[in-house]
Amino acid sequence: MESYGRPGESSVRPVPRHEIRALHTADTLTVYQAYRPSLGVPAARDGRFPEAWGRGRMTWVKPSFLWMMYRCGWGTKEGQETVLAVEIAREGFLWALRNATLSHYERGVHGDRAEWQRSLRRASARVQWDPERDLHARPLEHRSLQLGLSGEASRRYADEWIVGIRDVTPLAREVHGLVRDGELDAARALLPVERPYEVPADALSGLLPVPEGAA
């Protein structure tokens, strides 16, 4: 079973199947995205996305560093060469959750598919839970949250919620190099410390799949 803990830590606990885990402070939470350098470099330099960043489109943010590494191939995939750590206000993340719906129909959560489709059209954000990844990009049993932002949520994210943006491409490359060399403990030691991120129960209402056998 997967559990929390870094090399040398004495206590671990099982990881729930669905749980938000992130690098966070009392006021902020960090999510990850990857862009082509023409967008990512000025974003990190200026601490905000440039005008070329489409504020009306759907954008997906991920609190999991390793899931982002799986998605962007450690910053090697075309158009995803610049990996960004975007620190956002907790209030913004909470607003997005409270204005989100699941990205897929979930029996037991939605009355029927028509109800889900109506909620999807109204929602400014979407949530999906994908298998978390290990250092080798292999899927794990527990899930990692992805948050899709569109319309009002996308605009608020770009222009109101961002506290800071860092280019973590060098970190991605360093960790990847250690993984390739088989230095897994050293690679883990460099990973962002992602801990359980508690939110009010109502913020996840309708966003958690029904456990098997409970529907």
Side-chain angles (χ1 to χ4, degrees), residues 76-138:
T76 63
K77 291 185 180 179
E78 184 178 358
Q80 301 183 61
E81 299 91 344
T82 303
V83 185
L84 301 178
V86 185
E87 191 176 14
I88 62 174
R90 279 183 178 237
E91 292 82 358
F93 187 78
L94 190 58
W95 185 95
L97 290 178
R98 285 178 165 149
N99 288 273
T101 191
L102 282 173
S103 63
H104 64 280
Y105 169 70
E106 182 74 22
R107 185 176 172 183
V109 174
H110 309 106
D112 52 35
R113 288 186 179 276
E115 176 190 308
W116 165 69
Q117 289 172 343
R118 287 193 296 271
S119 70
L120 199 63
R121 287 193 294 269
R122 294 193 302 265
S124 292
R126 300 179 184 184
V127 162
Q128 63 187 50
W129 300 89
D130 295 306
E132 181 59 283
R133 302 285 163 161
D134 67 10
L135 283 166
H136 296 288
R138 296 174 300 208

Side-chain angles (χ1 to χ4, degrees), residues 34-72:
Y35 292 101
R36 62 184 184 273
S38 60
L39 281 179
V41 171
R45 181 192 64 218
D46 301 332
R48 68 190 306 272
F49 289 112
E51 290 304 316
W53 191 88
R55 283 158 172 76
R57 67 183 183 88
M58 172 74 73
T59 188
W60 288 88
V61 301
K62 306 155 188 71
S64 167
F65 180 80
L66 282 179
W67 207 98
M68 185 71 254
M69 295 305 98
Y70 158 71
R71 179 67 179 84
C72 72

